[in-house]
Amino acid sequence: MNLFVLVSTGYIGSNLISRLTGEKGISRVVALARNQEKAGELAERIEFFDKLEFAYGDFRHYNFDFGNSDAVIDLASAHNPYWGEQNPG
């Protein structure tokens, strides 16, 4: 299974990435990160690094190609409660 994880470098995301890359049924995890330094720190802590890839950007500003992902795990949240109303579609 191939997974795409939005917002991967926070506390929950980094722990989830660590767990997912250790699962036998998961062959690839693409982790979306805004900050390359935090992504590097995360990569250093991952035991099964060969399963991990990074995509860089902000989920609010791009249309991402999820490629061959079987599932997308969205841990993102907008800090502005009106963001959806201000940015429809």
Side-chain angles (χ1 to χ4, degrees), residues 31-52:
L32 177 64
R34 289 185 297 172
N35 183 307
Q36 289 185 351
E37 184 177 326
K38 285 185 178 183
E41 292 170 4
L42 172 60
E44 290 175 3
R45 295 192 311 257
I46 301 299
E47 183 177 350
F48 299 97
F49 182 75
D50 58 323
K51 293 183 176 183
L52 181 62

Side-chain angles (χ1 to χ4, degrees), residues 3-19:
L3 301 174
F4 194 102
V5 180
L6 298 173
V7 188
S8 60
T9 58
Y11 177 78
I12 294 172
S14 61
N15 282 291
L16 178 64
I17 296 289
S18 180
R19 176 71 185 253

Side-chain angles (χ1 to χ4, degrees), residues 1-5 20 26 28-31 69-73:
M1 177 178 273
N2 296 316
L3 301 174
F4 194 102
V5 180
L20 291 173
I26 296 176
R28 183 179 68 122
V29 176
V30 178
S69 298
D70 297 307
V72 175
I73 300 172

Side-chain angles (χ1 to χ4, degrees), residues 5-8 32 58-60 73-79:
V5 180
L6 298 173
V7 188
S8 60
L32 177 64
D58 187 325
F59 77 97
R60 297 171 297 170
I73 300 172
D74 184 0
L75 300 173
S77 66
H79 294 281

